[in-house]
């Protein structure tokens, strides 16, 4: 096998929209640098946000932010809120919102999954704030549940690869985790 060195580390990830309130105004911004840090016992997520973003002001001001997972249907709006800044464009009407149990960060009605996050730590990396949030509530659209479980085909999350700046959709299930490797375990 021959290998070449590459500069860019980029994998398909679900894109997310962070929602926040800045000086009383709702704002949205798109994030590919988003992920789950730990699912349990306490769920933590992070976003990596370039320092001048308007969103950063709101997260620091309120100590809360929303993470919304758009479906492929919201591709246009998702891209738009990642193209223009709340510093000079009012994005508050792009999505309809609702509040969970805390009214310090709105959540996006149209997005099939919403997480209300409490800021627990900000890691200061060069040029970027890494906001770590404890997920205190998660909502899913009723129609995206099949037999009591999340149905990812129905959620149809919008995926993103930064290296070539493309959006993707989910493929097919090809196996079951924690099962496929079992036949290799020596008795
Ligand atoms: C597909 C996509 C992915 C993006 N990912 C990030 C990201 O991970 N981190 C970041 O700081 N900005 C990211 N951006 C840029 C911000 O969304 C954009 O600068 C936005 O205008 C910031 O809005 P605000 O100033 O209102 O907070 C991304 C934009 C797009 C379109």
């Amino acid at each position: 096998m021959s290998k070449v060195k590459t500069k860019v580390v980029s994998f398909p990830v679900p894109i997310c929209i962070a929602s926040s309130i800045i000086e009383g105004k709702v704002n949205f911004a798109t994030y590919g640098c988003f992920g789950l840090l730990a699912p349990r016992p306490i769920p933590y997520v992070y976003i990596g946000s370039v320092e001048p973003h308007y969103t950063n002001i709101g997260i620091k001001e309120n100590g809360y932010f929303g993470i919304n997972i758009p479906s492929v249907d919201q591709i246009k709006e998702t891209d738009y809120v990642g193209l223009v800044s709340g510093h000079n464009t009012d994005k508050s009407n792009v999505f309809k919102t609702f509040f969970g149990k805390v009214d310090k960060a709105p959540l996006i009605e149209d997005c099939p999954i919403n997480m209300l996050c409490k800021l627990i730590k900000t890691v200061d990396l060069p040029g970027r704030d890494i906001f770590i949030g404890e997920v205190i509530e998660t909502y899913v659209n009723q129609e995206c549940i099949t037999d009591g479980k999340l149905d990812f085909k129905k959620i149809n999350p919008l995926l993103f690869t930064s290296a070539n700046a493309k959006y993707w959709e989910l493929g097919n299930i090809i196996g079951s985790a924690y099962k496929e490797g079992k036949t290799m375990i020596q008795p």
Side-chain angles (χ1 to χ4, degrees):
M1 184 187 293
S2 76
K3 297 248 186 196
V4 289
K5 284 190 181 173
T6 177
K7 272 190 189 157
V8 183
V9 180
S10 169
F11 316 101
V13 289
I15 199 86
C16 82
I17 303 168
S19 43
S20 55
I21 300 177
I22 301 118
E23 291 163 359
K25 195 173 74 185
V26 170
N27 190 59
F28 309 105
T30 311
Y31 289 88
C33 297
F34 150 71
L36 183 66
L37 283 170
R40 57 189 161 268
I42 299 170
Y44 295 110
V45 292
Y46 75 91
I47 53 168
S49 191
V50 173
E51 269 164 12
H53 286 351
Y54 199 51
T55 297
N56 298 30
I57 301 171
I59 296 178
K60 289 175 182 173
E61 189 178 293
N62 290 292
Y64 283 86
F65 58 101
I67 291 292
N68 307 272
I69 306 295
S71 77
V72 298
D73 300 340
Q74 284 112 33
I75 187 168
K76 250 194 209 172
E77 293 84 351
T78 303
D79 202 55
Y80 170 72
V81 298
L83 286 170
V84 297
S85 173
H87 280 295
N88 39 46
T89 306
D90 181 357
K91 297 185 261 184
S92 62
N93 291 322
V94 177
F95 297 104
K96 266 201 212 159
T97 57
F98 68 99
F99 283 116
K101 67 177 175 188
V102 175
D103 65 0
K104 293 188 169 188
L107 300 168
I108 300 176
E109 265 188 28
D110 286 342
C111 290
I113 295 184
N114 319 96
M115 293 173 238
L116 175 63
C117 304
K118 182 178 183 189
L119 180 68
I120 56 140
K121 198 172 193 143
T122 304
V123 179
D124 185 14
L125 291 187
R128 233 162 240 259
D129 287 321
I130 309 297
F131 295 117
I132 299 177
E134 176 184 336
V135 181
I136 57 171
E137 278 185 320
T138 304
Y139 294 87
V140 59
N141 286 6
Q142 182 85 53
E143 65 270 19
C144 295
I145 294 183
T146 303
D147 299 331
K149 292 192 173 155
L150 292 185
D151 187 327
F152 288 98
K153 272 289 180 198
K154 290 182 181 164
I155 292 167
N156 208 5
L158 182 62
L159 308 180
F160 168 63
T161 48
S162 69
N164 57 356
K166 296 290 177 204
Y167 294 113
W168 302 69
E169 65 183 341
L170 205 61
N172 298 314
I173 293 175
I174 55 131
S176 294
Y178 311 109
K179 280 194 182 157
E180 301 301 325
K182 277 194 174 164
T183 53
M184 292 182 71
I185 297 175
Q186 301 289 335

